[in-house]
Amino acid sequence: MSKVIAICNQKGGVGKTTTAVNLAASFAALEKKTLLIDMDPQGNASQGLGFNEAQDEDIHEVLNLAGNPDNLSYETIKPAILDTPLDFLKLIPSGPDLAVMEIELVNAMSRERRLERVINILKQAFEFIIIDAPPSLNLLTLNVLTAATSVLIPVQCEYYALQGMTELFKTIREVQKNLNSDLKIEGTLLTMYDARLSLCKQVAEEVRENLSDTVFQSVIPRNVKLSEAPSHGKPVILYDVQSSGSQAYMKLAEEILNKEK
């Protein structure tokens, strides 16, 4: 059964896209057939895998296709699925046109279920589907949460870490109630952790205290290689496999796999 994980936090700068790219790459390194879907109009996840130019086929085109389910099949989606430097990792990229989708969906029928229709077809081909959600709570994000089996929430180890989390959990509960009763919290991930800073330790303790058993044991450190890798169009596992950032995301992937057993 395919697992669909939404990487979601409406607060910017928390390591959302970094987590989407590197978790997907780590699953691929473990030889799990993995698809990364870039649902952020900024297209940073696509750039993080080396796709800096707009593509002829992207998630905007696929979501347009999904407006008419009769047009939707693996073959019609396939042109948007791109190869990446990792054999087991594919990408459906994003681009600036996706920002228009928010307006296009306003009056559309079943507007929250476009991505779900796409995912239902793609599940047959992939063991893991990772979705990089937009950094806001909008119709695109609702599509992501409606299509996902679980949500992974990156939380930066800084003073305002828990700010906005209430709103996100409220949205998740509404989606569970009205659109996707099977949606689960995959876990909360502490990111940009610096063990030298007492503030980081305090925040980590506070997050663990407030969110208890939903917090992953794996913690993503503040790491130069993680910051550098996107500018080279590579996940950190291909940029510097020995770095602490690369090792941390591999541990996270293994932690998620072990939970499945």
Side-chain angles (χ1 to χ4, degrees):
M1 182 65 180
S2 182
K3 191 173 180 72
V4 185
I5 305 175
I7 314 296
C8 194
N9 193 330
Q10 79 277 21
K11 192 173 184 292
V14 299
K16 178 182 64 66
T17 298
T18 299
T19 295
V21 170
N22 290 297
L23 178 59
S26 296
F27 282 136
L30 293 167
E31 299 191 347
K32 303 294 181 185
K33 290 181 181 177
T34 306
L35 174 68
L36 175 61
I37 301 179
D38 191 350
M39 278 289 288
D40 186 344
Q42 295 173 85
N44 292 148
S46 307
Q47 293 158 16
L49 288 174
F51 295 91
N52 294 311
E53 305 297 324
Q55 304 296 307
D56 291 336
E57 301 283 340
D58 60 16
I59 191 61
H60 178 256
E61 298 298 320
V62 173
L63 291 172
N64 269 336
L65 267 178
N68 184 348
D70 294 339
N71 294 334
L72 209 56
S73 68
Y74 190 80
E75 289 308 309
T76 58
I77 299 169
K78 197 174 178 181
I81 302 174
L82 306 179
D83 291 331
T84 76
L86 287 157
D87 289 343
F88 283 81
L89 179 60
K90 306 291 185 189
L91 168 74
I92 297 183
S94 177
D97 287 350
L98 187 59
V100 182
M101 199 83 210
E102 181 74 12
I103 301 162
E104 294 170 346
L105 286 173
V106 168
N107 295 314
M109 291 284 288
S110 301
R111 59 187 185 178
E112 301 93 350
R113 298 198 178 273
R114 290 280 181 100
L115 184 60
E116 182 186 31
R117 291 172 187 165
V118 175
I119 295 289
N120 285 340
I121 289 168
L122 293 173
K123 278 179 179 178
Q124 62 184 300
F126 297 97
E127 293 169 87
F128 284 91
I129 299 174
I130 308 297
I131 311 173
D132 187 27
S136 55
L137 298 177
N138 56 23
L139 266 174
L140 293 177
T141 305
L142 279 181
N143 265 268
V144 171
L145 294 174
T146 302
T149 54
S150 62
V151 191
L152 189 156
I153 306 163
V155 178
Q156 186 182 355
C157 291
E158 50 105 71
Y159 184 67
Y160 294 110
L162 293 171
Q163 193 179 60
M165 292 284 283
T166 306
E167 198 62 32
L168 177 58
F169 280 116
K170 182 181 172 188
T171 302
I172 290 169
R173 282 194 298 272
E174 285 298 313
V175 169
Q176 289 168 328
K177 184 178 172 184
N178 299 304
L179 294 165
N180 182 2
S181 58
D182 295 328
L183 183 66
K184 294 179 172 58
I185 304 289
E186 187 68 36
T188 306
L189 177 68
L190 292 164
T191 63
M192 303 181 202
Y193 182 79
D194 189 337
R196 297 168 301 178
L197 301 178
S198 58
L199 176 62
C200 275
K201 291 178 181 176
Q202 288 169 17
V203 170
E205 285 173 15
E206 186 182 355
V207 171
R208 290 192 187 280
E209 194 177 300
N210 280 274
L211 303 176
S212 61
D213 56 355
T214 68
V215 184
F216 287 106
Q217 291 300 311
S218 305
V219 174
I220 309 303
R222 192 175 287 279
N223 178 242
V224 173
K225 300 298 182 182
L226 267 179
S227 303
E228 290 175 352
S231 65
H232 294 267
K234 293 179 179 180
V236 72
I237 200 167
L238 292 182
Y239 181 63
D240 186 346
V241 70
Q242 297 299 330
S243 69
S244 60
S246 177
Q247 296 299 309
Y249 276 111
M250 282 299 293
K251 284 178 184 172
L252 174 64
E254 288 165 356
E255 186 176 343
I256 292 170
L257 285 171
N258 288 333
K259 276 171 63 180
E260 295 299 295
K261 290 177 182 177

